Amino acid sequence: MLVYTAKRIVLAILVALTISMLVFSLLYLSGDPATALAGESATSDDIEKIRQAYGFDRPVWVQYLSWLGNAAQGEFGNSLYFRLPVWELILERLPTTMTLGVSAMTFAIVLSIPLGVLAAMFPNSLIDRTALFMAVVGQAMPSFWFALMLIVLFAFTWPVLPASGSDTWRHFVLPTIVLGYYATPAFMRLTRTGMLDVLSSDYIRTARAKGLRPWTVLFKHALRNAIIPVVSLAAVQFGFMLGGSVIIETVFALHGAGFLAWESISRSDFPTVQAILLLFSLLYIVLTFLADLLNAWLDPRIRVG
Amino acid sequence: MTEPAGFSLDVENLTVSIPLAAGTLRAVRGISFRVNQGETLCIVGESGCGKSLTSLALMGLLPAKAVRGADRLTLNGVDLTALSERQMSDVRGESMAMIFQEPMTSLNPAYTIGNQLEEALRRHRPVSRAEARERAIHLLEKVGITAAASRLQQYPHQLSGGLRQRVMIAMALMCGPDLLICDEPTTALDVTIQAQILHLLRDLQREFHMAIILITHDLGVVARMADRVAVMYAGEIVETGTAAEVFAAPSHPYTKGLLQCIPIPGRTKRGEHLGSIPGVVPSLIGEIAGCAFANRCPHAADACRSEPPARDLGPGRMVRCVLEPGAVPQMEPA
Ligand SMILES: Nc1ncnc2c1ncn2[C@@H]1O[C@H](COP(=O)(O)OP(=O)(O)OP(=O)(O)O)[C@@H](O)[C@H]1O
Ligand code: SF4
Ligand SMILES: [Mg+2]
């Protein structure tokens, strides 16, 4: 287990470094950053001053290392738009995004795992078909369109929930449904196929031959094995959700980091965009790492050599 | 009818059918047998003749779509056909246990050996974990596993196939069942391990006074283990008797064919044709008109087109063939 954990940590660090390079290079994606920063009416003198003030005149790898060193301390410089430290901006908005992410993930799991299990227990039954239908619809429907439909239905036709803002828990209901529903088809399908596979396995027959109760067979012997791929998927899906939060927070005007990312992109606020990208990527890496650990705990074949 | 004292499993006219798109697969076509305490019944027959479905039918573990029928299916006088699924699960693992052909996949990879052994006892008996652990260690030692106590913490993937099958046997014995059903318990193991496992089963049977139903397609295994033999062909029992009777005077042409091309004991591989009786098994979908063996039988005659009678050749001795047993000549070597 120790060796396994150490390997995963090294891997996570390598991935994080790669991503940091990509994020750093974003700055150069739109051409010369000094020119972009200086604005349209700037003279070449102004641009040169900015180049020196921001250190853009140094070799790229020096710039990267100093940027990385600062980033490691949470220092991303000031937002070009707000003229405030980027980390302050993000810290203020991160709770909203995390609340949305966690509640959407919870919603997705609570909806899809029981449905997936039931669909596998009664293949081709009504419940299986309903679950399949939901999955197909969920995959076919663009999330912004789904969001607009929900807003029309529950904020205007029956005004039971607010359409925008992030002040109370009620503001989170519709965004949670949209963002969470988006992840359910994959969870449901994976749970269903996993359970079907496991339920027809020899060790389930053994468990039944021992006279174990259906409940024990299902939850102790089957689900634990079927859930292993779902755990890995959950980490990936959470990453997608963070990405999706950019759209969802914008549609619902939730003041989270996703919304901030959207605004900062349209304002060319590079330091802020970089910081959010890096943060989301790191979150994703940490979650993948945790999923690996959880899987190792669930599956002794990973954990015990 | 008065029950004889002691344990017995009585099966009369057991059928297993599976509805398929092409028609109803009648995999087990009305078989009857009886197993008494301390006795080993070997069910022998080619691949696909319905041995596994028979054992699963006894355990109430048939696939969901399979349908079981029986005129009589009693264990110690208890009518198993009348039990609910819940009551049946009380019987499974308690008075009737089973081990399977695939030791590599029959244990749950996610739990320790100890966990899986203990739950088999704790499901049926109000014992503490410590007591269940004691019993598990005791049985692991009984099935010849060294360092039993430390094995409890191991996971299935850390054990070899032979060891896993021993664990399966120990698990089946946790509640001290009256009947142990072994479905080809050694087919997946290599020859020396096969011999050890069979030897172990014989010893355990003597010690625990269990009845054993041993399913195999290896006549060498039958010769070593059986008190009684039931020869199955295409879902029917075509001949039964004591092992001595069947080996000394095989009466059904199929049994003769099997014995004539007996392979070197313990060398038949899974799925391999038993010996080399030419021809193929008829389709099990729908009725089979007349004798199911007719297309492969060297003595097939017009009379075989109608259902052959089950001839009673003495107590517990039966053959299903139109020919008088004495009249069957030896089969030509294939
Ligand atoms: N779940 C199932 N669905 C459809 N047909 C099945 C199913 N299980 C078994 N059968 C069929 O029923 C027949 C009897 O199968 P069974 O497994 O009892 O054979 P067997 O005698 O145990 O063979 P083997 O020696 O290969 O284990 C075979 O023709 C098999 O194809
Ligand atoms: S009934 Fe006829 S075909 Fe069948 S085994 Fe006997 S002799 Fe052969
Ligand atoms: Mg079989």
Coordinates of all heavy atoms in Angstrom, one line a residue, chain B residues 52 101 183-184, ligand 3:
Chain B
S52 N -24.6 -29.9 -14.0 CA -24.6 -28.7 -13.2 C -26.0 -28.2 -12.9 O -26.3 -27.8 -11.8 CB -23.8 -27.6 -13.9 OG -22.4 -28.0 -14.0
Q101 N -16.8 -25.8 -9.6 CA -15.7 -26.2 -10.5 C -14.6 -25.2 -10.6 O -13.4 -25.6 -10.8 CB -16.3 -26.4 -11.9 CG -15.3 -26.9 -12.9 CD -16.0 -27.2 -14.2 OE1 -17.2 -27.3 -14.3 NE2 -15.2 -27.4 -15.3
D183 N -19.5 -30.0 -7.6 CA -19.7 -30.0 -9.1 C -18.3 -29.9 -9.7 O -17.7 -28.8 -9.8 CB -20.5 -28.8 -9.5 CG -20.9 -28.8 -11.0 OD1 -20.4 -29.7 -11.7 OD2 -21.6 -27.9 -11.5
E184 N -17.8 -31.0 -10.2 CA -16.5 -31.1 -10.8 C -15.4 -30.3 -10.0 O -14.8 -29.4 -10.5 CB -16.5 -30.6 -12.2 CG -17.7 -31.2 -13.0 CD -17.4 -31.2 -14.5 OE1 -16.3 -31.1 -15.0 OE2 -18.4 -31.2 -15.3
Ligands
MG3 MG -21.2 -28.4 -15.3

